[in-house]
Amino acid sequence: EGELVRRLERAALRRNPSEFSRILARALNISRGLAERISFDNSGEPVIVAAKVLGMKTDVLQRILPFLNPVVGQSVPRIFELCQLYGELSSAAAEHMLTIWQANPARPHAKHETVYWDDERRGARSSSTEITHAGVRQNAQSGRVKINER
């Protein structure tokens, strides 16, 4: 067993998913947010993919799963299902998933500015102008909306 896997196991056995996530993020070269989503996922399946990529042995995985996520750990049958999935998952499929994770890092949500229907009235347009947006027409004077038919 490598030092990395021992550190992950130690973090899981201490019921420290945040530490597990930190180690996982560095090991897989993924964002910390994504590593946390993997660690806290209630299905347990992303952890299986990460374990496969890291070449974790099945007995280590069986020790980690009950402690890492309480939802997964409550179900012995679920742990056995996940270990079976681990055995069936090819290394190539796990590596492909890792490639997707690395290519699509967690991005902060876009910030949106609130816009009201009458903002145009305050602008340069006259109050009788119709506002068209994505197939919806709204009369700025009356506030009525008409869906454009195509």
Side-chain angles (χ1 to χ4, degrees), residues 1 5-6 8-10 12-13 51 55-66 83:
E1 294 283 305
V5 172
R6 281 193 292 275
L8 285 167
E9 182 179 11
R10 199 168 30 249
L13 294 177
M56 192 177 287
K57 292 186 178 177
T58 307
D59 61 325
V60 175
L61 182 61
Q62 288 173 337
R63 288 192 299 269
I64 286 175
L65 287 173
C83 289

Side-chain angles (χ1 to χ4, degrees), residues 34-49:
L34 179 56
E36 286 176 357
R37 288 199 310 273
I38 291 168
S39 301
F40 290 102
D41 185 274
N42 289 335
S43 74
E45 293 170 3
V47 171
I48 299 303
V49 173

Side-chain angles (χ1 to χ4, degrees), residues 38-121:
I38 291 168
S39 301
F40 290 102
D41 185 274
N42 289 335
S43 74
E45 293 170 3
V47 171
I48 299 303
V49 173
K52 184 61 97 167
V53 167
L54 297 172
M56 192 177 287
K57 292 186 178 177
T58 307
D59 61 325
V60 175
L61 182 61
Q62 288 173 337
R63 288 192 299 269
I64 286 175
L65 287 173
F67 293 96
L68 183 60
N69 184 321
V71 173
V72 174
Q74 289 177 353
S75 173
V76 173
R78 182 62 183 154
I79 291 172
F80 284 120
E81 289 171 2
L82 289 170
C83 289
Q84 183 178 359
L85 174 63
Y86 181 79
E88 295 171 358
L89 182 65
S90 71
S91 295
E95 289 289 336
H96 181 70
M97 192 68 216
L98 176 61
T99 302
I100 292 169
W101 287 342
Q102 291 171 336
N104 296 306
R107 290 183 176 89
H109 296 289
K111 294 180 181 173
H112 298 281
E113 185 177 322
T114 304
V115 179
Y116 297 97
W117 73 268
D118 66 344
D119 282 350
E120 295 292 328
R121 184 182 289 176

